[in-house]
């Protein structure tokens, strides 16, 4: 990532903007749909609860059935209230993601200036890493590793003809960034 950023900073910033914008829009649309659905259901529960009360008072509904239904509605209303709060909170976080993109670029630049990688730097830059099964022989094998960065998630660098980024991490271990293909 650092090597790519060093030689293609403008392209990387554009790639990151496109990725975060696409991800944000998709998640925002999904959250807004879920929020509207939960809000509508919450309003319906309030209406059903009032109707149940009226039916109980008028004698159309027994006290036992009223208690059972009112408990069911109250439990669902509390669950919806929690979901609505979470959806609103997540939507607020999405609005902060533009700043996160800049924070990510700053963290990568700081990483590029360091002589050695430190644990605090890893915590600042990386959210989590997925490591897949080894493929190939006992001595020569490949292993897919996917890094999810803080602030932006997984970033797929564009493939350039003959330009894969390599690093010799230690004797006998070479790491090479190979972009995934669209068919994979």
């Amino acid at each position: 990532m650092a090597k790519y950023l060093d030689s293609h900073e403008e392209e990387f910033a554009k790639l990151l903007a496109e990725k975060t914008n696409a991800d944000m829009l998709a998640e925002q649309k999904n959250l807004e749909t879920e929020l509207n659905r939960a809000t509508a259901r919450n309003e319906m529960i309030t209406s059903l609860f009032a109707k149940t009360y009226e039916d109980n008072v008028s004698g159309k509904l027994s006290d036992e059935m009223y208690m059972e239904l009112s408990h069911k509605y109250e439990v669902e209303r509390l669950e919806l209230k929690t979901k609505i709060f979470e959806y609103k909170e997540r939507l607020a976080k999405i609005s902060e993601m533009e700043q996160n993109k800049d924070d990510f670029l700053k963290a990568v630049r700081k990483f590029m200036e360091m002589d050695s990688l430190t644990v605090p730097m890893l915590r600042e830059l990386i959210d989590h890493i997925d490591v897949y099964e080894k493929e190939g022989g006992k001595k020569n094998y490949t292993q897919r590793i996917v890094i999810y960065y803080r602030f932006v998630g997984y970033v797929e660098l564009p493939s350039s003809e003959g330009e894969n980024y390599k690093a010799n991490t230690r004797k006998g271990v070479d790491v090479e960034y190979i972009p995934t293909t669209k068919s994979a």
Side-chain angles (χ1 to χ4, degrees), residues 44-138:
M44 181 180 274
I45 293 290
T46 301
S47 173
L48 288 171
F49 189 77
K51 176 97 169 95
T52 304
Y53 177 76
E54 290 172 6
D55 286 350
N56 178 255
V57 169
S58 68
K60 292 181 184 176
L61 194 63
S62 70
D63 288 345
E64 182 181 330
M65 186 58 118
Y66 168 74
M67 293 301 289
E68 187 177 318
L69 288 173
S70 66
H71 176 71
K72 176 184 160 198
Y73 291 149
E74 185 62 20
V75 167
E76 186 175 355
R77 190 183 68 75
L78 290 173
E79 288 173 358
L80 286 168
K81 188 176 178 182
T82 302
K83 282 183 182 179
I84 289 170
F85 175 78
E86 289 171 358
Y87 293 149
K88 285 180 179 179
E89 194 174 72
R90 184 65 188 135
L91 283 168
K93 285 183 181 180
I94 286 176
S95 67
E96 297 172 12
M97 288 184 100
E98 188 65 32
Q99 177 63 37
N100 290 346
K101 180 179 60 177
D102 295 334
D103 292 344
F104 177 70
L105 287 172
K106 286 177 190 171
V108 172
R109 283 190 191 101
K110 190 185 328 179
F111 167 73
M112 291 167 56
E113 294 169 2
M114 296 188 73
D115 293 333
S116 62
L117 190 59
T118 64
V119 172
M121 177 54 70
L122 284 175
R123 286 191 187 117
E124 182 178 342
L125 192 61
I126 296 175
D127 180 41
H128 71 278
I129 301 172
D130 292 345
V131 180
Y132 295 87
E133 294 289 326
K134 294 178 184 178
E135 296 176 4
K138 286 188 176 190

Side-chain angles (χ1 to χ4, degrees), residues 4-68:
Y4 181 82
L5 182 59
D6 190 37
S7 57
H8 302 90
E9 187 167 349
E10 278 189 35
E11 289 175 34
F12 184 74
K14 184 178 176 185
L15 170 79
L16 203 53
E18 289 172 1
K19 181 209 180 320
T20 55
N21 290 342
D23 290 352
M24 281 191 309
L25 288 174
E27 186 175 2
Q28 185 176 18
K29 185 177 178 182
N30 184 42
L31 285 169
E32 287 171 350
T33 301
E34 290 300 318
L35 178 62
N36 290 338
R37 188 176 294 144
T39 303
R41 179 63 183 166
N42 192 39
E43 290 171 5
M44 181 180 274
I45 293 290
T46 301
S47 173
L48 288 171
F49 189 77
K51 176 97 169 95
T52 304
Y53 177 76
E54 290 172 6
D55 286 350
N56 178 255
V57 169
S58 68
K60 292 181 184 176
L61 194 63
S62 70
D63 288 345
E64 182 181 330
M65 186 58 118
Y66 168 74
M67 293 301 289
E68 187 177 318

Side-chain angles (χ1 to χ4, degrees), residues 166-183:
K166 298 178 183 181
N168 298 329
T169 57
R170 62 182 184 270
K171 186 175 181 181
V173 179
D174 292 335
V175 176
E176 180 177 6
Y177 176 80
I178 303 172
T180 58
T181 59
K182 296 291 181 198
S183 61

Side-chain angles (χ1 to χ4, degrees), residues 129-147:
I129 301 172
D130 292 345
V131 180
Y132 295 87
E133 294 289 326
K134 294 178 184 178
E135 296 176 4
K138 286 188 176 190
K139 278 194 169 189
N140 294 324
Y141 63 88
T142 60
Q143 188 168 14
R144 184 169 184 244
I145 299 171
V146 179
I147 301 172

